[in-house]
Amino acid sequence: MKKIIFFGAYDINARIPLVNELRTHGIDVELAGIGATPATADSNADGVVTHAVGRGDLKREFLKLPGMIRRLRRDRGADLVHTWDSIPGMLANRAADGDRQGVYTRTVTGTGQSFATGGAKGFALRHGYGSAQVVARKSAAFTVFQNTDDHRQFLEHGWVAPTTSMVIPGSGVKLQGFDAVRSSGRGDEMRRHYEVGDRYLVVLATRLLKAKGVAEFCDAARMCDGKLGRSALFLIVGPEEPNPKRAAAVTPFVGTEVEVRYGGNCPDIPGLLSTTDLLVHPTAYGEGIPRILLEAAASEVPIIASDWAGCRDVVVHDATGLLVPARSTAPIADAVIRLAHDDVLATDFGHAARLRVEGSMTLEIIAGQYADLFHQLLANRPAVKESIS
């Protein structure tokens, strides 16, 4: 069985479902994260080994971390290191330069705020990001993208080659789990938990970042008041953002039909989606494929999303949902009003989105594509090392 290390940030354990699926393809994966939880010891959550690389203090440990990665690969007998997220990818690039035996690959999980920020700051972010990608091209044996727009952009800039890059859409979703939730009573529990009652439920599930469209969602909800023909709760759920410069504030509102409320970090997203009437995702943030879109599609919830990289891979306008301009307000309100008055169309969108995910974005399909890639790279290992040296 081939041995691989997935290296990422503190939240690397989010890859455990993919790791377990890869085992069915003859690939053993261990996880490693920068200061991964727990930060001072290895863990074995769900039978998957997770290594803490350093203590998460990048300022003090940045120059030491590449050596730690190389030693971890050798000590664990891994054939390949695959990175997730930008900073882990940069560190692995440095590790690869000093490692003649290991193969290093990566997944670009989005571009963050590099292409969403304007002005001089945005220019500086894009320049720095591009410079990092030029370096990464020399070290990474292969680059996986989670959406088609990011892949196209990297190709246009010459940051990757078509022969050593491909799209594997998102991280996958296991449909059976969402099917089980829909036939359970967890949706009713969520309605009681959030005091929804029999109201039309519109959900934004996201970290409270300005770039995730929280303010636009609140403003659009107020514009819908008196135009829906029914009572509605516009519910925002998700963790708060600790960085005050990036954090978004929720503006509560109670009108004649509409209430806007922040519900905190949801304890059961699948349960909430099983009873959600409409999901809105007005992001302007560079993600691979927003996981909430895959989960909503798996739950057959109609979606309104930004016309933005990653969102377009799930939502085909007027076919599997509705796309609206990023950073907009009135178009979101118009789309909500349209679907609130057309239950048949909303249901059709939910079914179509589910079929789209079934065809190319399930966990089983995604794991199979990664497994094929890893097997091919390791079978051609001498040629791979020569091509990037």
Side-chain angles (χ1 to χ4, degrees), residues 90-308:
M90 291 171 56
L91 294 169
N93 291 336
R94 294 171 60 88
D97 288 340
D99 191 345
R100 287 185 167 275
Q101 301 301 316
V103 176
Y104 289 76
T105 58
R106 60 175 177 156
T107 290
V108 174
T109 55
T111 57
Q113 299 200 118
S114 300
F115 293 87
T117 304
K121 182 179 179 181
F123 178 82
L125 282 172
R126 287 185 287 278
H127 178 75
Y129 189 86
S131 299
Q133 300 313 318
V134 171
V135 174
R137 175 172 177 163
K138 299 176 182 178
S139 303
F142 204 92
T143 301
V144 175
F145 293 87
Q146 292 194 316
N147 67 61
T148 53
D149 288 289
D150 286 350
H151 189 208
R152 180 167 54 248
Q153 181 170 241
F154 273 57
L155 289 171
E156 289 172 353
H157 283 87
W159 294 340
V160 294
T163 55
T164 55
S165 62
M166 67 182 295
V167 175
I168 298 179
S171 296
V173 63
K174 209 165 185 70
L175 298 178
Q176 299 89 327
F178 288 88
D179 293 340
V181 172
R182 289 164 63 197
S183 61
S184 72
R186 285 161 58 179
D188 294 335
E189 291 177 15
M190 284 292 96
R191 283 199 167 247
R192 288 191 293 270
H193 178 78
Y194 289 112
E195 299 178 343
V196 181
D198 61 356
R199 288 182 288 179
Y200 189 73
L201 181 57
V202 184
V203 169
L204 168 61
T206 185
R207 190 161 95 253
L208 297 190
L209 281 171
K210 293 177 182 176
K212 294 294 188 81
V214 174
E216 291 83 352
F217 179 82
C218 294
D219 292 343
R222 289 192 290 273
M223 293 179 67
C224 290
D225 192 38
K227 301 177 182 178
L228 298 177
R230 61 174 87 183
S231 295
L233 173 62
F234 285 69
L235 179 66
I236 302 168
V237 296
E240 296 184 36
E241 167 58 41
N243 185 338
K245 293 182 179 180
R246 301 172 64 190
V250 176
T251 308
F253 172 79
V254 178
T256 57
E257 285 182 342
V258 167
E259 178 187 359
V260 179
R261 188 200 311 157
Y262 174 54
N265 204 3
C266 180
D268 183 5
I269 288 291
L272 180 62
L273 288 174
S274 72
T275 191
T276 294
D277 295 293
L278 180 61
L279 181 96
V280 179
H281 193 71
T283 188
Y285 188 82
E287 302 172 73
I289 288 183
R291 183 166 184 81
I292 191 62
L293 297 186
L294 297 177
E295 294 175 335
S299 302
E300 297 192 28
V301 178
I303 300 168
I304 298 170
S306 295
D307 191 0
W308 197 256

Side-chain angles (χ1 to χ4, degrees), residues 146-149 167 169 288-289 308-316 356 361:
Q146 292 194 316
N147 67 61
T148 53
D149 288 289
V167 175
I289 288 183
W308 197 256
C311 297
R312 288 188 284 260
D313 287 67
V314 178
V315 181
V316 178
R356 185 169 179 81
M361 300 176 198

